[in-house]
Amino acid sequence: MTLLALETSCDETAVALYDRAGLVGHRIQSQAARHARFGGVVPELASRDHARDLLPLIEQLFRGTGKRLRDLTAVAATAGPGLPGALHVAHALGQSVAFARGIPFFGIHHLEAHIFSADLGSRRLDPPFVALVVSGGHTELVAVRALGRYQLLGATRDDAAGEAFDKAALLLGLPYPGGAALSRLAREGHRERFELPRPMLDQSGCEMSFSGLKTALLYMLRTLPKPTAADRADLALAFETSVVEVLVEKSFRTLTETGYSKLVVCGGVSANERLREALCARAEASAVRVVFPSPEFCTDNAAMIAHVAWLRLEAGERPADSVPVRPRWPLESLTPPGTRA
Ligand code: KG4
Ligand code: ZN
């Protein structure tokens, strides 16, 4: 049993091989530098680069692992959500390989893969738990009752947390995608100087909003005629502190609402150290366990696609007659392995 997994939903071209022993190997080729000068992902460029890079990356993976095309027994690719043109690249290539080899093809939900990415390695996540999915495209609080059984309890009404980090980073003169760079800059900041709002914190429930925070940062920047490096570091810290405080508070509200005692944090922003520290500190004060993916698997990768495909296969998933690409695909519409919606 050897599974090939492909991921091209946004600006990372990624491939992975998985077998009974777990992850055999994986490769990620990021297009971030390509999109940097536009300040965000340009969908047309993303699909073109995926089409150019995917096959050579698979060849590299085969060379590195000693596996061959004829070893494959299944293929999986991200079917959504994501950029339509970009998604089609992995989906079309994956389906072609599966068809040519006469093996099954599985379309995987990108966010379900992020949720179970904390499980890569020896750990078993064992639902139920609350998942905080924080990436460049999504910020959602989800009750995970089982693999394939999800209830959305809160989400951002506008920008995702990662998107807000990236926009704030651009305002502070950092290149796209600037989440990690903003976080590094914040380490040099002084906390007392600037205070930004905590959007929707005073409203009950688990809904969030991050677009106003970026505007508040812009207005604060405008009050400084010539922002110095120290000003920018202080502002970065104020911004990061606000986002982290909102994410921590809303996550713990969701835990209270569900009565669950485990929180799984995933997606690109889950690599943020201040967020990790704040969640762990809050968890220590309550009886909550917080689980993060290893930093290698926080941002987009195909190892998580392979892993969740494998979990589904193990639990009795059968290949569907047709697997459409779904640029918009609510997590809640998924069903457990072996059942159909
Ligand atoms: O999960 P991901 O790779 O892609 C999506 O599915 O969206 O997440 C990428 C996002 C970007 O917005 C990036 O700036 C953010 O994750 N990010 C971070 C950090 N590392 C990545 N944000 C804050 N702090 C970080 N350390
Ligand atoms: Zn992602």
Side-chain angles (χ1 to χ4, degrees):
M1 294 280 283
T2 303
L3 174 103
L4 171 69
L6 312 174
E7 152 70 41
T8 61
S9 67
C10 190
D11 62 342
E12 251 86 41
T13 315
V15 299
L17 279 167
Y18 206 96
D19 70 13
R20 261 182 226 293
L23 185 65
V24 179
H26 77 120
R27 294 275 188 285
I28 305 172
Q29 188 163 324
S30 176
Q31 303 174 355
R34 168 96 149 129
H35 300 285
R37 69 189 169 105
F38 303 103
V41 177
V42 183
E44 275 312 306
L45 293 182
S47 357
R48 218 184 303 160
D49 284 7
H50 287 312
R52 184 194 60 205
D53 297 335
L54 186 55
L55 204 51
L57 206 60
I58 296 173
E59 284 170 345
Q60 237 186 60
L61 180 69
F62 279 140
R63 272 199 304 277
T65 55
K67 294 270 187 190
R68 289 158 305 181
L69 201 56
R70 64 168 176 268
D71 296 327
L72 299 182
T73 52
V75 183
T78 307
L83 300 170
L87 283 168
H88 273 288
V89 178
H91 189 265
L93 186 65
Q95 276 200 316
S96 307
V97 169
F99 179 72
R101 301 293 311 154
I103 55 180
F105 174 81
F106 298 91
I108 297 299
H109 193 291
H110 183 81
L111 297 186
E112 180 173 69
H114 267 305
I115 290 173
F116 284 89
S117 66
D119 203 21
L120 266 162
S122 53
R123 208 164 27 198
R124 281 275 155 174
L125 274 182
D126 290 331
F129 54 81
V130 169
L132 168 64
V133 185
V134 261
S135 69
H138 297 87
T139 298
E140 297 184 358
L141 279 157
V142 184
V144 179
R145 309 205 190 289
L147 178 66
R149 284 189 60 216
Y150 309 105
Q151 186 186 357
L152 185 66
L153 294 176
T156 180
R157 290 186 176 170
D158 38 59
D159 290 356
E163 185 181 358
F165 262 103
D166 293 340
K167 287 177 176 170
L170 280 179
L171 291 175
L172 295 171
L174 300 166
Y176 172 86
L182 185 148
S183 188
R184 277 194 298 277
L185 181 62
R187 264 179 239 154
E188 280 139 46
H190 294 90
R191 189 178 292 278
E192 309 75 32
R193 248 188 99 199
F194 299 110
E195 182 82 7
L196 287 167
R198 272 61 170 160
M200 298 189 72
L201 208 56
D202 53 354
Q203 290 171 45
S204 62
C206 306
E207 292 289 295
M208 292 164 278
S209 161
F210 294 104
S211 74
L213 198 51
K214 159 206 73 198
T215 314
L217 175 71
L218 176 66
Y219 287 152
M220 209 163 256
L221 254 174
R222 283 189 184 155
T223 65
L224 307 168
K226 255 191 163 189
T228 62
D231 291 336
R232 294 190 311 114
D234 293 345
L235 284 167
L237 178 59
F239 179 85
E240 186 177 46
T241 305
S242 286
V243 176
V244 166
E245 214 175 294
V246 171
L247 290 174
V248 171
E249 177 58 31
K250 296 283 177 172
S251 300
F252 278 78
R253 264 186 218 173
T254 313
L255 285 161
T256 309
E257 211 164 279
T258 53
Y260 295 167
S261 58
K262 195 177 355 177
L263 177 68
V264 173
V265 192
C266 59
V269 183
S270 70
N272 184 279
E273 280 174 25
R274 197 173 298 275
L275 176 64
R276 286 181 175 230
E277 284 161 16
L279 286 168
C280 289
R282 180 81 176 259
E284 229 169 74
S286 45
V288 168
R289 203 180 129 220
V290 195
V291 184
F292 303 95
S294 76
E296 181 187 6
F297 300 124
C298 286
T299 45
D300 287 349
N301 64 84
M304 67 182 190
I305 306 298
H307 179 64
V308 89
W310 195 269
L311 288 180
R312 282 189 162 270
L313 266 167
E314 259 186 348
E317 181 93 325
R318 295 275 156 268
D321 298 334
S322 88
V323 183
V325 162
R326 291 176 168 153
R328 291 181 182 280
W329 189 5
L331 251 183
E332 285 180 305
S333 68
L334 292 186
T335 55
T339 63
R340 291 263 180 269

